[in-house]
Structures are given as C-alpha cells and as structure tokens.
Amino acid sequence: MADQYAQSGEDIRPPETPTSPANQVKEAAPAIPAIRWAEPPEGPVLVLLDQTRLPGEETELVCTDAPALVEAIRMLAVRGAPLLGIAGAYGVALAAARGFDVDEAAVTIAGARPTAVNLGYGVRRALAAYRSAVAGGAGRERAGAAALAAARALHREDAEASARMAVHGLALLDEMLPGGGHRILTHCNTGSLVSGGEGTAFAVALAAHREGRLRRLWVDETRPLMQGSRLTAYEAARSGMAYTLLTDSAAGSLFAAGEVDAVLIGADRIAADGSVANKVGSYPLAVLARYHHVPFIVVAPVTTVDPETPDGASIEVEQRASHEVTEVTAPYVPMAGFEAGGGIVVAPLGTQAYNPAFDVTPPELVTAIVTEEGVVSPVTAGGLGELCARSRQVSMS
Ligand SMILES: CSC[C@@H](O)[C@@H](O)C(=O)COP(=O)(O)O
C-alpha cells in the first residue's frame, strides 16, 4: 500500500502516531450555524447555511415561508436526517409566526423529501404543540410561540443526543478495535451540518480524533452530489483530523489493502427490523465490510428509528433528477424547476439516469446501531423491539 501511495506522487500515508502535530484538534463546525431562528427586526425568519454553496462559500439562505423552506430542502441547502427534523419543526413555527395556514404548511414541509423519517417527526412535534395550545384556548401568537418552543427543544435535544452518540460510539470503537489508531471509512455527510450538535457518525470520528485515537478518516466523495467531498472533507479539514478523500468506487481496493478498521455511517430511516436507509452507496460498503470482516456501524438518534416501517422493502427511497448524474456541478447550483442543473454535461444529451438518493442495508450486514441510548446489534438482539418502543415514547413526548 505504501508503494501505491508513493506512485501517486503524493504521500498520504497515515501519520506515524495518531497525535502527531499535523493532527491538531480544531473547531469542526462552520462559523455560521447550519440553522438558526431569527426574531425581529431580522425575523421572524428561518436562516439556513446554504449547503449547496459549500465548501466555496459560507452563505445564508433566508426562508420567510414554507414554500421557501420546501425548496431549500429539495435542493439540499438544508439536509441530513436530524437537521431535516429540526428544519421541519422550525418551518411550522415560521408558518405560525408569519400568519400562514399552519396545517397546510405542515403538509407541504413534511412531503418535501420522503426518506428521512425525522422530517415528518419534527413537523408533527411542532404541529402538535401548536394544536394543543390552540385547543387550550391560546390565540395565534401564543400557539406560534408553543410551536417555536417545540422546535427549540428538538434542536437542543438533538445536540444532546449527538454528544451521547459520540460517547457510545467511541466506546464501541475502542472495544472492537483495542489499541486505538482507528482508520474509519465514512460516507455522505454526518457532522454539524446535519445536526443541532456535532452530528452522528462524524461526531464519533471527531471524538476519536479529540482523544488522539483517530488515525485516519477515509471520506467517500459520495456521488452524485458530493456530500463527502464538499461537506465531510470540509468539516474534517476544519477539525484538523487526518483525512483522505476517495472516489466511492475506490472503497473496494481500500478494503482489500487492509486500510479500513471500521465503517461509520448515519441513517435516514431505520426500519423496525433493523434495515437501514442511508445515502446511496452505503449498502455496497456494508457488503464490502462483511466480506473483509470489518465492522459496519450505523450512528443515528432514536428519532431515526421508525417503528411504523416494518422492514427495508417498506422504506420509500427518494428518486432524484437525471441531471444530477448526467451533469457535474461543483458546487451544486440550484436551478428553478430542476429540469437541468446548468452544470458541465458528462453524458449524451437526453440520457436518463438511475439516481436513487438512498439505498437500504439489510440488518444482517449491520454490526451495530449506536443511538444516544446505547448500542444495539439488530441481529443478536433479534430486531429493534426496545428501540422501537423508545422511539414511540420519544415521538409522543
Ligand atoms: C445523520 S445524517 C444521516 C443521513 O441523513 C446522511 O448520511 C444522508 O444520507 C444525507 O443525505 P442527503 O441526501 O444529503 O440529505
């Protein structure tokens, strides 16, 4: 493997020790928060860090109503399961605060993308708070305040969950890989850009980095929208961790070279049987991990477990436009209507692309699921009964 690195002309070998000076701990999160609520005089508005512009520009996108938020969600300015939940909750509060039809807003926001279960959860939670305030005699303003309080609570809880996932995930890594020096492969983006805190899978890698136990984060670029190269590499670079970017299709040779100790990914929806929907390309990694006897670890909050979806076949996988594959846009430039991306064309005009945003990994390929409540193996636990029960409790709170 060392020879192979040398041939590329660039020495990307892991540092001699995990705590070498090059591996300094810095702040991973962008200077602008992924989401924030602004009160008057700026608001009431919902302000998003426009993730389509990263890593080139850190710019904000201001949403004044539900249709603007729906567009931001569809074009992936705001994305990732936990953050979609938070955005959904704030979206309901926004509709209330600005005098729009709250029920209509809730329906359109919840329907913006189908796979991440957290989006609907966040919307329902804020809507329930709004309705219960109305039922209790509150006027529009007080009911809106109740929806906003629910959104803020979800935002805070997600940050707390993220911190606890990091603790459980790092303990699991240390148990599975005694000796430290973890070489972790991750896919898509699961850091502070998808969370009220430091994220899911990325938060675990960050914890390992801070403890001096991360030797290298291997970052899949994540075709076609490059969440890995644009966002995860950006967060990894900011944190000062040792990381290397690879094309998705290079993962096989990386496993074969014995360079991966564990795979850490997030999830958009976990079915009751332990099937995991995550960014397309996750399932092939699970197959590779099994073949190479490498743990495949999923990190997600309890709210991503969906007791109402019995199995993987029941998960709706979002299909996205052909142009995301037939054109290369860097950064991804949103265009009205989504008919064309306005990028560099890399396929014959008119080519139809198969472009599922997610794939589903069956439970037998999942070594462990890490939540804020602890670690469970879907196979040895015989399903996710307890986690489902917990998720039901949380979603009714
Ligand atoms: C905690 S993030 C888990 C997933 O939401 C993440 O891996 C992912 O697949 C995001 O997909 P995206 O299409 O960018 O919203």
Side-chain angles (χ1 to χ4, degrees), residues 170-199:
L170 182 57
L172 178 70
L173 279 184
D174 288 345
E175 184 191 315
M176 288 182 152
L177 312 168
H182 311 317
R183 295 164 303 173
I184 307 292
L185 174 62
T186 194
H187 191 68
C188 198
N189 172 258
T190 61
S192 57
L193 294 169
V194 299
S195 164
E198 292 187 317

Side-chain angles (χ1 to χ4, degrees), residues 76 79-82 84 113 187-190 194 200 227 266-268 278-279 299 318 357-358:
L76 272 55
R79 47 156 294 284
L84 286 173
R113 292 185 79 191
H187 191 68
C188 198
N189 172 258
T190 61
V194 299
T200 59
Q227 288 93 333
D268 283 81
N278 192 53
K279 179 53 57 196
V299 188
E318 175 186 5
F358 304 97

